[in-house]
Amino acid sequence: MPTQILKAHKVRLYPNEDQQIFFAKSFGCSRFIWNKMLGDKIDHYKATKTTLNNTPAQYKKEFEWLKEVDSLALANVQQ
């Protein structure tokens, strides 16, 4: 029976100052969207006993600073 050899590579990234700021904004906005969407879903369910199908795009009108980060980062929060 043949043996399978697994290999791994470690990579370390050293982002510059602009990239560090972008990562911090992306993580912060993702965390905010997760908590906001969850809170709205819970409140809606308590009030109507139905589920709420909200998207991150709905919050960009109310919170303009969400437009600064990548939309795919926010879309992945929904999944």
Side-chain angles (χ1 to χ4, degrees), residues 4-18:
Q4 184 178 10
I5 298 175
L6 301 176
K7 292 184 179 184
H9 298 279
K10 281 189 175 182
V11 177
R12 175 119 190 212
L13 300 177
Y14 297 98
N16 62 28
E17 188 174 337
D18 291 338

Side-chain angles (χ1 to χ4, degrees), residues 32-61:
F32 172 80
I33 283 292
W34 171 267
N35 291 330
K36 184 72 173 159
M37 288 176 65
L38 181 62
D40 289 349
K41 285 183 184 211
I42 290 171
D43 293 342
H44 181 78
Y45 185 78
K46 285 180 181 177
T48 63
K49 300 296 182 200
T50 59
T51 59
L52 175 66
N53 294 325
N54 51 355
T55 63
Q58 296 169 341
Y59 297 100
K60 286 186 178 182
K61 295 172 190 155

Side-chain angles (χ1 to χ4, degrees), residues 22 26-27 29-30 33 56 69-78:
F22 179 76
S26 296
F27 295 140
C29 288
S30 296
I33 283 292
V69 299
D70 187 29
S71 62
L72 292 177
L74 300 179
N76 285 330
V77 171
Q78 185 179 9

